[in-house]
Amino acid sequence: MAEFTMPSLGADMDEGMLSQWLVHPGDQVMRGDVVAVVETAKSAIEVECFDSGTVEALLVDEGTTVPVGTPLARIGTTAEIRPTESPSTERQLVESLPTSTPLVRRLAKDRHVDLAAVHGSGPGGRITRADVEHAELEPEPAPAPERDMTEPTTRQAKPLYSDNSTAERPAPMRVKSSPLARSLATELGVDLAEVTGTGRGGTVRAEDVRSAAADKGAPRPAVPEAARSATARLMSRSKREIPHFYLSTTVDMAAALEWMHARNRELPLSARLVPAALTFKAVAMAARKVPELNGHWGDDGFVPAEEVRLGVAVSLRGGGLVAPALAHADTLSVAEVMAALKDLVARARGGRLRASQTADPSLTVTNLGDQGVETVFGVIYPPQVALVGLGRIVERPVAVNGLLGVRPVLTATLSADHRAADGATGARLLTAMDRLLQRPEEL
């Protein structure tokens, strides 16, 4: 028996609201399946299951806010379903589970898509969200009933009550909705009674309110005002508790850009690289070389991370910041980093991050080059101990081998925790990043 608990989706999260269940008792799930949606102060996050088996019970109702670590569901593991079977039979049982996640199956049901007719593009033929969206079918309209021609073509509808009626008017009905949905509705001026809820039992979720606001022409922020407050609290804590020190260096990007342009000539437009893919990969590899800055500060001092989980600072349309993570970023190819960055930014701004993408990063990168900023000195995200800032690539006169020329250069900065490292350690990280970008073929 395994318990599915409310996960910690960031260092500043103490509780979360179970916004939506994507499974029911009796459903079979596999490790990594998205089984629920949790709303935090910053966004709605799709939460994955960490065990394979059968959902035996849902312990928390939709719309309930509970502390991190609270059991949300009980899952009978695969071994408990077939305790007398051999390991090979257990493996066959797992492999025989549906080739789509509960989230995908629910999406297919909502959009009237027959999964049996969908070709899966995921690993092992697994059906993904994109496959369902591409195969979406509109339901056929029901035929209009034949009208009895002997009846009059118009009828006078009998009013339920009139303004001068003495009958008691019906009391307004309370709309079943999540706390975040109610907060958003107030902020955006949306009447919850006019919103169609897509949650269980017609519960109105935050995304339903955003959709209704967009239909009315109102702006559609990705997060409510609470996200800015959460960011402010975290950054205030960082500056209050962490003794920051700062370093910067100028990186010659000529070799990296030349290599990138050569690669892009061989790639389709949708798969072409941008400089951020190279610089982020270089930071991740540098963090592997300098583990003293890749980890977290706890009560017992610095704890190095077991992997490089590169946080990516993303500004949200409604204000505030989130920093989802690229897992094992140092082992990804540049093309994989590029694809992962696109997915992270789209999910973050669409309020569709997954729990695995929000687990505490070990080092964060903030890139403001696309905003025209040349130099950025960031604030460390606790409990991390370092943050790398990247600015805009600009052309400047540079002396190379005794000759003056114009070269594309990038200013990279490091904000580091002086409790965990010193200037010499920080310099090693920036130097490692610089050297890697001079040999982009090794990224």
Side-chain angles (χ1 to χ4, degrees), residues 16-98:
M17 190 200 73
L18 195 289
S19 171
Q20 183 182 15
W21 281 114
L22 302 177
V23 293
H24 301 84
D27 284 354
Q28 291 180 319
V29 295
M30 295 181 65
R31 179 182 175 87
D33 283 353
V34 177
V35 296
V37 178
V38 170
E39 290 185 5
T40 70
K42 294 184 178 180
S43 64
I45 298 173
E46 298 172 353
V47 181
E48 302 99 324
C49 180
F50 291 96
D51 299 279
S52 297
T54 301
V55 178
E56 294 194 349
L58 303 181
L59 307 178
V60 173
D61 292 333
E62 291 180 343
T64 304
T65 300
V66 296
V68 169
T70 301
L72 303 179
R74 286 198 304 267
I75 297 176
T77 59
T78 307
E80 294 170 332
I81 300 171
R82 295 288 190 273
T84 61
E85 300 289 359
S86 65
S88 60
T89 305
E90 180 181 326
R91 189 182 312 111
Q92 292 173 1
L93 175 63
V94 174
E95 292 174 351
S96 68
L97 294 176

Side-chain angles (χ1 to χ4, degrees), residues 420-438:
D422 54 23
T425 305
R428 283 169 47 214
L429 186 137
L430 290 179
T431 300
M433 174 191 169
D434 189 351
R435 288 175 177 169
L436 286 163
L437 288 169
Q438 305 315 311

Side-chain angles (χ1 to χ4, degrees), residues 312 314 324 340-350 353:
V312 180
V314 179
L341 283 174
K342 286 183 178 179
D343 180 64
L344 276 186
V345 173
R347 283 183 171 276
R349 291 178 175 166
L353 283 172

Side-chain angles (χ1 to χ4, degrees), residues 71-144:
L72 303 179
R74 286 198 304 267
I75 297 176
T77 59
T78 307
E80 294 170 332
I81 300 171
R82 295 288 190 273
T84 61
E85 300 289 359
S86 65
S88 60
T89 305
E90 180 181 326
R91 189 182 312 111
Q92 292 173 1
L93 175 63
V94 174
E95 292 174 351
S96 68
L97 294 176
T99 57
S100 58
T101 66
L103 175 62
V104 170
R105 293 196 293 272
R106 187 183 183 103
L107 181 66
K109 180 181 179 181
D110 292 344
R111 301 195 179 189
H112 307 280
V113 172
D114 181 7
L115 287 177
V118 177
H119 173 72
S121 62
R126 197 176 186 85
I127 298 174
T128 67
R129 174 195 286 263
D131 297 329
V132 174
E133 292 174 343
H134 291 156
E136 182 176 352
L137 300 176
E138 292 292 337
E140 295 183 2

